[in-house]
């Protein structure tokens, strides 16, 4: 970037091209008062405090005026001083001034400005008006709005509108009555505010402050435990209690931003309901026992089982080290590959399809590329609810001029910012994508050189397109031919273009085909191996990627080395000094079926709650209750733990060291902040102690760092992931050795297939497994809401989050509500072929006629009682996104 020299107050200083005067001054240690400027927002010049005088004698706002070479400005001229001081006095005169009772005391920008100008109360007594009589808004459970302290800088409005795309607040009223308000001037709780707290953090005064405002005695840098974005945060500690969380401004992806869960959802760590002692079920009731008794009990019981009579379910919420040790225990101690994790219920089609077509089943590019992307094709993903900080990066891209294509059966929030918004019929993704491919080929928009040099099987793809003429695609998808053509052209002619998707693509009975279709689309246009491109599955939980990386899969050792590969088997047998099974193990739903058949008799479940998270959950509960010996290791007494014979208290992410691997393959440190609550222990340690009780070698780890070193030695893609390599910064796999910088973009020169070429996959359209009929006329699809996480094991104990969102409502269109005769808030029965659940109604234009939506967070609603167990034939991923239901009004 070019360097510019200019003069401030007679001193020559340096700036970078594109700097404003305020930015350059700040960088050179020169203070210019300001209130409305924020480094992450477009300058507004509203407060007029940052005025400077240029060489022409004009007063200009330094936050908006770009530096020019040779220019000269004064920040201290009499005109500047007088103007600024008068503005400051007027602001302070109309501002509540009881600083000692304000949470922002000593952090308030207005206080800083008053001190700079030496303004005292007597200086402004003749300017002071009576303050606006606006009651303090205490409605939000996490923060307070006091408009008497507001200086109308607009930072909160810009943050909410431009950074989040929510626009819950805006300027309202006029003149002296002007204030920041919500729609219809309702309390913030009744607005569409998502309670992320970004406006609270950005507010320069005391108008927005957190309700819990204790100052921590120390802070520890770690990684968020919620979604797959992997935001960086600092947890604040006072005594042995976590009291605060703030975003890490230096983090490459989150850049200091957090969502409502990341910022306010940490009180589960010190919650009084945490499991803090082992529990053994005796005569139908749990009794607390000491660790020696619990470990001996586990060892004696497990020693009776082995090979195909045992299975384990690991957790996408636990660390890499925890997951590694559980899969090692399953294979080495129990002699079976019956190990799986919740990725099976969500992203297995990504792993299967992308591994076959590209050689790697992970995100090909990086989240930090999103703000500068040229074109984003978002399909089957609702980032504002599921990955809020990633959604903020998408909003950065929108502001930077990116073209956005959104495809989703529902009218999701991010679609408001799309250039093309496609609402296709649910379950028709293959037809839609192949229709786009048909257009791109017909109009000769393909990358011929890329296809010829780096791909194979193109002719087979061409032959499969016969059934995807646009007339047929329109009939299947419900999308006009014109819109399909427009979307195809926009994606194919904007170079580069990136595809982002999540569970709306994978959780179908044809989920693997959906991912193949997206891979075909990207290959056709040469969108691999370069920035701002690729096919990018977004992971829903913090360590979905890592749990798979660690080999918690029935067909793979750590690092995706196949159990049926003799060389891989020999490698791990030598490392672990034991014979290992060469047979592919069972997936989660297959495990449950095997339990019902009496084949699997013992099960170890770590950090998962399949009683609520799996489809047709009544059958899952029956299987859990049929297990002869069930160990559940978790933070709370979950619905699954209630069925266990032995419950072991694991430590939370804040109580142990380790690593998480986020959605873009970024391996990040998790650091112990406080000692484990009660007698809880890190999961890897519990498993290791059981193995040692069973007389097995290879589990004598002294720390999680020892486990990480073993992973690095056995999984080549993690070869450089020693803790010493991750202290200063994260790395993205593959990272082959300690000096390796990691890999931000996959497939740059060749694909990870045997011959280095990517493979086109011909496809046919298949309908969802369970279609609506006269008895069940509606389609139910499921997903996440921003305020909770998975089955609410952690977020469900947070009263503030429960106040914001409790029961999972059934969202339906006004047309469907009218047909059924229900109104907003009415209680209804949602009935499928598997059962029925009771839920309140939420009428919304997000859902088109014929499609209803429910989240699966609430343990009271139990949405997955009614979801379909139909599975993708390749991966056994359930079809959460499509099942037939009917809705009946509850008779009071």
């Amino acid at each position: 970037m070019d360097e510019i020299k200019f003069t401030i107050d007679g001193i020559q200083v340096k700036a970078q091209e594109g700097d404003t005067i305020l930015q350059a001054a700040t960088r050179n240690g020169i203070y210019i008062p300001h209130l409305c400027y924020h480094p992450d927002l477009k300058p507004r010049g509203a407060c007029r405090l940052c005025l400077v005088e240029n060489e022409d004698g004009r007063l200009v706002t330094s936050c908006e005026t770009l530096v020019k070479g040779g220019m000269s400005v004064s920040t201290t001229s009499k005109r500047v001083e007088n103007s600024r001081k008068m503005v400051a006095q007027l602001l302070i005169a109309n501002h509540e001034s009881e600083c000692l009772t304000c949470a922002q005391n000593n952090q308030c920008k207005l206080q800083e400005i008053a001190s700079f100008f030496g303004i005292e109360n007597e200086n402004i007594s003749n300017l002071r008006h009576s303050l606006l009589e606006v009651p303090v808004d205490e409605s939000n459970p996490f923060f307070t709005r006091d408009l008497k302290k507001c200086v109308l800088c607009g930072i909160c409005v810009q943050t909410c509108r431009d950074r989040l795309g929510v626009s819950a607040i805006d300027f309202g009223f006029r003149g002296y009555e002007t204030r920041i308000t919500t729609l219809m001037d309702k309390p913030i709780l009744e607005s569409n505010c998502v309670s992320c707290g970004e406006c609270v953090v950005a507010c320069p005064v005391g108008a927005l402050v957190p309700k819990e405002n204790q100052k921590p005695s120390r802070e520890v840098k770690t990684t968020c435990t919620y979604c797959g974005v992997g935001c960086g945060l600092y947890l604040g500690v006072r005594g042995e209690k976590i009291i605060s969380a703030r975003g890490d401004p230096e983090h490459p992806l989150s850049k200091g931003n957090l969502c409502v869960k990341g910022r306010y959802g940490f009180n589960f760590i010190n919650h009084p309901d945490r499991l803090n002692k082992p529990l053994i079920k005796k005569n139908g009731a749990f009794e607390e026992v000491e660790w020696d008794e619990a470990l001996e009990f586990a060892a004696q019981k497990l020693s009776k089982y082995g090979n195909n009579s045992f299975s384990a379910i690991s957790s996408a919420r636990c660390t890499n080290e925890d997951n590694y040790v559980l899969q090692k225990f399953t294979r080495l101690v129990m002699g079976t590959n019956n190990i799986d994790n919740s990725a099976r219920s969500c992203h297995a089609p990504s792993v299967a399809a992308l591994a076959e077509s590209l050689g790697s089943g992970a995100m090909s590019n990086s989240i930090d590329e999103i703000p500068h992307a040229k074109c984003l094709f978002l399909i089957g993903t609702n980032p504002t609810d599921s990955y809020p900080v990633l959604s903020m990066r998408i909003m950065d891209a929108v502001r930077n001029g990116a073209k956005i294509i959104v495809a989703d059966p529902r009218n999701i929030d991010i679609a408001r910012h799309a250039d093309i918004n496609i609402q296709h019929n649910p379950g028709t993704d293959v037809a839609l994508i192949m229709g786009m491919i048909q257009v791109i080929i017909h109009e000769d928009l393909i990358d011929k050189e890329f296809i010829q040099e780096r791909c194979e099987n193109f002719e087979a793809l061409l032959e499969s397109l016969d059934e995807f003429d646009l007339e047929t695609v329109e009939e299947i998808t419900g999308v006009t031919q014109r819109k399909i053509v427009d979307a195809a052209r926009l994606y194919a002619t904007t170079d580069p273009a990136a595809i982002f998707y999540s569970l709306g693509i994978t959780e179908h009975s044809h989920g693997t085909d959906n991912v193949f279709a997206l891979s075909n689309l990207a290959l056709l246009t040469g969108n691999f191996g370069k920035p701002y491109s690729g096919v990018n599955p977004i992971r829903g939980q913090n360590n979905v990627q890592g749990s798979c990386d660690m080999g918690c899969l029935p067909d793979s050792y750590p690092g995706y080395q196949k159990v049926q590969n003799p060389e891989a088997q020999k490698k791990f047998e030598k490392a672990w000094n034991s014979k290992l099974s060469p047979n592919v193990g069972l997936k989660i739903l297959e495990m449950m079926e095997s339990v019902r058949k009496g084949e699997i008799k013992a099960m170890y479940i770590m950090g998962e709650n399949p009683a609520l998270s799996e489809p047709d959950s009544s059958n899952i509960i029956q299987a859990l209750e049929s297990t002869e010996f069930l160990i559940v290791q978790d933070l709370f007494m979950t619905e699954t733990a209630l069925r266990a014979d032995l419950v072991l208290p694991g430590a939370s992410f804040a109580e142990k060291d380790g690593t998480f691997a986020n959605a873009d393959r970024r391996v990040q440190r998790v650091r112990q902040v406080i000692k484990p609550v009660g007698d809880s222990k890190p999961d890897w340690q519990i498993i290791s102690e059981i193995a040692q009780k069973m007389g097995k070698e290879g589990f004598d780890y002294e720390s999680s760092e020892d486990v990480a070193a073993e992973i690095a030695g056995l999984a080549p893609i993690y070869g450089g992931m020693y803790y010493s390599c991750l202290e200063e910064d994260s790395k993205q796999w593959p990272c082959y050795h300690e000096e390796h910088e990691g890999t931000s973009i996959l497939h740059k020169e060749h694909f990870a297939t045997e011959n280095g070429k990517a493979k086109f996959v011909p496809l046919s359209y298949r309908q969802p497994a369970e279609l609506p009929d006269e008895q069940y006329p509606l389609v139910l699809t499921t997903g996440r809401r921003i305020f909770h996480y998975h089955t609410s094991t952690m977020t469900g104990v947070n009263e503030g989050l429960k106040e914001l969102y409790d029961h999972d409502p059934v969202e339906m269109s006004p047309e469907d509500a009218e047909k059924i005769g229900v109104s907003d808030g009415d209680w209804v029965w949602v009935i499928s072929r598997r059962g029925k659940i009771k839920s309140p109604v939420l009428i919304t234009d997000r859902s088109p006629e014929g499609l209803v939506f429910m989240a699966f967070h609430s343990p009271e609603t139990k949405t997955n009682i009614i979801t379909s167990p139909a599975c993708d034939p390749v991966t056994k991923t359930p079809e959460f996104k499509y099942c037939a239901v009917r809705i009946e009004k509850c008779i009071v």
Side-chain angles (χ1 to χ4, degrees):
M1 194 172 287
D2 293 340
E3 189 176 83
I4 298 172
K5 293 181 180 179
F6 74 112
T7 302
I8 298 181
D9 299 332
I11 303 169
Q12 189 177 75
V13 295
K14 296 176 181 178
Q16 296 175 347
E17 186 177 354
D19 276 354
T20 63
I21 295 171
L22 179 58
Q23 288 171 326
T26 302
R27 194 174 289 121
N28 284 278
I30 298 169
Y31 177 67
I32 297 178
H34 59 273
L35 271 177
C36 70
Y37 171 76
H38 190 282
D40 295 333
L41 301 171
K42 183 179 179 180
R44 295 178 61 242
C47 71
R48 319 308 286 177
L49 281 165
C50 71
L51 292 172
V52 296
E53 187 172 357
N54 66 17
E55 57 263 50
D56 298 328
R58 290 176 55 239
L59 297 184
V60 297
T61 50
S62 63
C63 69
E64 295 179 295
T65 306
L66 294 177
V67 170
K68 295 180 181 177
M71 76 185 304
S72 177
V73 298
S74 172
T75 70
T76 57
S77 71
K78 193 166 186 63
R79 286 184 65 207
V80 167
E81 288 285 324
N82 289 342
S83 177
R84 286 181 184 166
K85 191 167 185 177
M86 177 54 69
V87 170
Q89 287 175 333
L90 289 169
L91 283 169
I92 295 165
N94 292 286
H95 185 83
E96 195 172 75
S97 57
E98 295 298 322
C99 292
L100 289 180
T101 61
C102 177
Q104 286 288 83
N105 189 29
N106 292 325
Q107 298 176 14
C108 173
K109 283 282 186 182
L110 194 60
Q111 192 180 48
E112 177 185 289
I113 287 163
S115 174
F116 179 76
F117 288 117
I119 298 171
E120 304 287 348
N121 275 330
E122 53 266 28
N123 303 132
I124 57 173
S125 57
N126 61 329
L127 299 174
R128 187 177 289 280
H129 293 275
S130 58
L131 296 177
L132 284 173
E133 288 300 321
V134 183
V136 175
D137 184 354
E138 298 274 4
S139 63
N140 189 281
F142 299 121
F143 59 84
T144 297
R145 296 173 72 233
D146 186 352
L147 296 182
K148 293 191 294 296
K149 297 177 181 177
C150 177
V151 291
L152 297 176
C153 66
I155 288 176
C156 59
V157 174
Q158 279 187 281
T159 297
C160 192
R161 181 190 65 214
D162 299 340
R163 303 228 71 200
L164 282 93
V166 174
S167 297
I169 50 178
D170 205 342
F171 288 94
F173 305 93
R174 290 292 181 269
Y176 184 68
E177 300 291 326
T178 299
R179 59 181 181 265
I180 307 299
T181 185
T182 62
L183 182 66
M184 305 293 291
D185 201 30
K186 291 182 177 180
I188 193 72
L189 188 65
E190 298 176 34
S191 73
N192 60 327
C193 169
V194 295
S195 301
C196 63
E198 289 295 322
C199 61
V200 179
V201 173
C203 181
V205 291
L208 290 163
V209 293
K211 287 184 174 178
E212 297 292 331
N213 206 39
Q214 290 187 76
K215 304 300 180 189
S217 57
R218 60 186 176 90
E219 289 185 318
V220 178
K221 182 178 180 178
T222 189
T223 303
C224 184
T225 190
Y226 288 112
C227 81
V229 176
C231 296
L233 76 163
Y234 286 89
L235 288 179
V237 186
R238 199 159 179 170
E240 279 299 312
K241 187 174 181 181
I242 309 291
I243 63 166
S244 66
R246 69 175 178 90
D248 176 5
E250 303 301 318
H251 193 271
L253 308 184
S254 55
K255 302 184 186 301
N257 303 129
L258 293 174
C259 73
V260 60
K261 298 184 292 293
R263 194 179 308 280
Y264 301 119
F266 54 81
N267 74 333
F268 73 89
I269 299 166
N270 294 104
H271 197 275
D273 291 344
R274 275 282 302 276
L275 294 170
N276 55 37
K277 269 192 172 297
L279 301 167
I280 295 178
K281 189 176 282 182
K282 300 178 180 179
N283 300 318
F286 286 111
E287 291 184 15
E288 287 188 354
V289 297
E290 298 302 320
W291 271 110
D292 280 346
E293 182 179 347
L295 295 171
E296 190 64 41
F297 179 64
Q300 287 182 1
K301 285 285 190 178
L302 289 176
S303 64
K304 300 176 184 178
Y305 307 100
N307 299 325
N308 292 329
S309 66
F310 174 85
S311 66
I313 300 175
S314 79
S315 177
R317 296 192 292 280
C318 291
T319 65
N320 285 328
E321 294 75 7
D322 298 330
N323 281 288
Y324 175 84
V325 173
L326 182 57
Q327 65 83 32
K328 181 178 177 180
F329 176 88
T330 302
R331 293 184 161 111
L332 173 58
V333 179
M334 303 306 294
T336 179
N337 288 311
N338 290 340
I339 175 78
D340 203 4
N341 74 92
S342 63
R344 178 68 47 204
S345 300
C346 53
H347 267 293
S350 296
V351 177
L354 296 181
E356 182 175 338
S357 60
L358 310 176
S360 173
M363 186 181 276
S364 62
N365 288 58
S366 299
I367 293 171
D368 60 359
E369 296 175 19
I370 293 176
H372 306 289
K374 305 302 180 186
C375 178
L376 297 174
F377 181 19
L378 310 171
I379 180 168
T381 184
N382 183 9
T384 49
D385 270 321
S386 301
Y387 326 100
V389 173
L390 185 143
S391 180
M392 294 179 69
R393 300 292 80 84
I394 294 171
M395 288 305 302
D396 292 340
V398 170
R399 288 200 310 279
N400 289 332
K403 300 297 183 183
I404 309 293
I405 305 167
V406 172
D408 196 285
R410 301 169 65 232
N411 187 26
I412 57 175
D413 288 342
I414 201 73
R416 292 186 291 118
H417 308 284
D419 296 272
I420 298 176
N421 179 25
I422 299 170
Q423 278 188 261
H424 55 300
N425 293 331
T428 64
D429 303 277
V430 165
L432 174 67
I433 300 160
M434 295 295 275
M436 291 174 64
I437 288 173
Q438 177 81 270
V439 172
I440 291 168
I441 291 175
H442 178 72
E443 299 194 0
D444 198 25
L445 300 176
I446 64 176
D447 188 331
K448 295 176 184 176
E449 183 179 347
F450 182 89
I451 293 170
Q452 184 175 354
E453 294 182 0
R454 302 197 58 192
C455 305
E456 61 182 2
N457 215 33
F458 180 56
E459 294 302 322
L461 175 70
L462 290 178
E463 291 174 11
S464 74
L465 291 176
D466 290 344
E467 68 175 275
F468 295 108
D469 61 276
L470 288 190
E471 187 175 339
T472 301
V473 171
E474 179 178 27
E475 184 179 342
I476 293 171
T477 64
V479 181
T480 65
Q481 296 180 44
R482 179 76 265 161
K483 186 167 281 191
I484 295 168
V485 170
D486 289 345
R489 285 176 180 166
L490 182 59
Y491 174 81
T493 59
T494 310
D495 184 27
I499 296 170
F500 286 84
Y501 72 89
S502 54
L503 307 188
I505 283 291
T506 59
E507 288 182 343
H508 286 279
S509 57
H510 43 76
T512 302
D513 285 353
N514 287 348
V515 181
F516 276 138
L518 291 174
S519 176
N520 288 340
L521 179 63
L523 290 171
L524 196 68
T525 51
N527 273 303
F528 278 110
K530 55 189 177 184
Y532 322 124
S533 67
V535 174
N536 301 286
I538 314 170
R539 312 301 190 177
Q541 297 178 52
N542 56 307
N543 205 32
V544 162
Q545 185 65 61
S547 57
C548 294
D549 296 346
M550 293 301 102
C552 294
L553 297 168
D555 64 345
S556 299
Y557 294 120
Y560 305 99
Q561 300 166 87
K562 297 300 180 182
V563 299
Q564 290 185 305
N565 182 331
E567 293 304 314
Q569 185 182 355
K570 288 178 185 176
K571 172 182 177 177
F572 282 90
E573 285 180 340
K574 181 179 179 181
W576 294 344
N577 193 28
S578 176
K579 289 292 291 181
L580 299 174
S581 170
N583 302 317
V584 171
L586 299 178
K587 305 172 180 73
I588 290 176
L589 293 184
E590 292 173 330
M591 292 176 189
M592 299 301 173
E593 182 60 28
S594 186
V595 169
R596 285 190 286 267
K597 291 178 179 178
E599 296 166 351
I600 285 183
K601 302 180 184 300
M603 192 178 293
Y604 199 137
I605 300 177
M606 177 182 73
E608 280 298 328
N609 191 15
L612 284 187
S613 65
E614 295 301 311
D616 193 11
S617 55
S618 295
N619 270 327
I620 301 296
I621 291 170
Q622 183 185 25
L624 294 172
E625 292 175 343
S626 301
T627 309
E628 282 187 13
F629 182 58
L630 176 61
I631 299 176
V632 173
Q633 196 163 294
D634 216 316
L635 305 179
F636 293 92
M637 183 60 76
T638 65
E639 290 76 10
T640 300
L642 286 169
R643 275 83 186 175
D645 301 286
L646 173 63
V647 178
L648 301 174
S652 76
F653 83 114
E655 300 153 26
K656 59 188 174 186
D657 288 305
T659 53
F660 291 150
N662 80 334
D664 68 0
R665 301 168 282 106
R666 189 178 302 272
V667 180
Q668 304 184 97
R669 279 300 315 276
V670 177
R671 294 178 174 87
Q672 184 174 356
V673 182
I674 58 174
K675 65 183 181 182
V677 169
D679 285 344
S680 63
K681 294 184 178 185
D683 296 280
W684 65 265
Q685 184 178 338
I686 298 170
I687 301 160
S688 297
E689 290 178 359
I690 293 174
Q692 289 173 308
K693 283 280 186 183
M694 296 176 73
K696 297 296 181 178
E697 296 179 354
F699 291 87
D700 53 346
Y701 306 109
E702 292 187 5
S703 67
S704 63
E705 188 168 5
D706 290 346
V707 182
E710 184 170 312
I711 296 166
L714 288 172
I717 60 173
Y718 271 65
M721 301 299 187
Y722 295 91
Y723 283 8
S724 58
C725 305
L726 299 173
E727 277 307 312
E728 298 301 320
D729 202 1
S730 56
K731 289 186 178 183
Q732 291 167 270
W733 67 254
C735 179
Y736 296 113
H737 50 79
E738 292 178 71
E739 286 73 39
H740 197 283
E741 294 182 357
T743 308
S744 60
I745 300 173
L746 299 180
H747 319 307
K748 279 187 175 182
E749 297 174 1
H750 55 79
F751 291 92
T753 54
E754 285 188 12
N755 63 2
K757 289 191 172 186
K759 181 181 179 181
F760 285 105
V761 179
L763 298 169
S764 293
Y765 169 68
R766 289 187 292 116
Q767 291 183 326
E770 179 182 278
L771 298 174
D773 56 21
E774 288 186 8
Q775 189 176 5
Y776 300 97
L778 300 171
V779 172
L780 168 69
T781 189
T782 64
R784 293 183 171 92
R785 294 303 308 271
I786 193 171
F787 300 109
H788 283 285
Y789 180 67
H790 208 52
T791 60
S792 300
T793 300
M794 298 184 295
T795 55
V797 298
N798 187 303
E799 291 303 319
L801 292 174
K802 289 184 71 175
E803 184 179 346
L804 293 170
Y805 182 96
D806 195 1
H807 284 81
D808 291 316
V810 54
E811 298 186 16
M812 67 174 67
S813 69
E815 295 84 358
D816 286 329
E818 186 176 356
K819 288 177 190 174
I820 300 165
V822 294
S823 303
D824 244 349
D826 285 350
W827 284 81
V828 295
W829 291 107
V830 187
I831 307 165
S832 77
R833 293 178 173 92
R834 288 151 296 281
K836 65 179 185 178
I837 57 174
K838 192 176 181 181
S839 172
V841 168
L842 176 61
I843 299 174
T844 171
D845 60 6
R846 284 194 296 261
S847 291
E849 188 174 358
L851 179 69
V852 297
F853 170 86
M854 293 187 72
F856 56 90
H857 303 304
S858 172
E860 287 80 25
T861 308
K862 298 182 174 66
T863 300
N864 280 322
I865 285 176
I866 61 173
T867 50
S868 171
C871 289
D872 176 85
V874 177
T875 64
K876 303 304 180 186
T877 292
E879 192 158 42
F880 288 106
K881 298 306 180 192
Y882 199 109
C883 76
V885 298
R886 72 173 182 270
I887 294 177
E888 297 176 357
K889 189 172 183 179
C890 290
I891 306 300
V892 179

